[in-house]
Amino acid sequence: MSEFVTVAKVEEIPPGTGKTVDVNGIWIALFNVDGAFYAVDNTCPHAGGPLGEGHLDGHVVECPWHGWKFNVCTGERSGNPNFTVECCQVRIEGHFVQVAPPANWK
Ligand code: FES
């Protein structure tokens, strides 16, 4: 069973931005979409680009390496849902953002 881990303060990630966080060696891309937080695997399925460093436009992040776009709410690639990134549970506890990476993530 996955456990929630505190990864950031809410105010560290303003709406419209993202951040890469390390949870026990697992890199997760965390985003604030108009006040709602979402988290996905940080590794782009194209060639491993860091999605947490990509530009966020609404609920879509653009990979900084070659421009693939992903819906951070569903993990689907825009225009081609055959490519996805896995989503991760997120919750807010007080002023902190917590994530719970699935147990099978490495
Ligand atoms: S590594 Fe993400 S688009 Fe190429």
Side-chain angles (χ1 to χ4, degrees):
M1 184 169 153
S2 301
E3 292 183 17
F4 281 92
V5 178
T6 298
V7 291
K9 291 180 179 175
V10 169
E11 59 267 28
E12 286 177 45
I13 308 169
T17 68
K19 179 180 183 176
T20 303
V21 297
D22 176 6
V23 179
N24 301 324
I26 300 170
W27 292 98
I28 292 173
L30 183 63
F31 301 99
N32 182 336
V33 179
D34 296 329
F37 284 84
Y38 298 91
V40 299
D41 186 347
N42 188 56
T43 305
C44 178
H46 177 222
L51 294 178
E53 296 175 20
H55 174 71
L56 184 66
D57 183 7
H59 60 270
V60 175
V61 66
E62 180 174 344
C63 179
W65 283 9
H66 313 101
W68 283 23
K69 296 179 179 179
F70 296 90
N71 181 330
V72 301
C73 308
T74 65
E76 291 182 349
R77 182 183 174 200
S78 300
N80 188 346
N82 290 327
F83 288 94
T84 61
V85 287
E86 287 193 69
C87 297
C88 176
Q89 286 183 286
V90 185
R91 73 182 183 190
I92 304 300
E93 284 288 320
H95 296 286
F96 298 97
V97 185
Q98 297 184 328
V99 299
N104 62 344
W105 284 21
K106 294 185 173 134

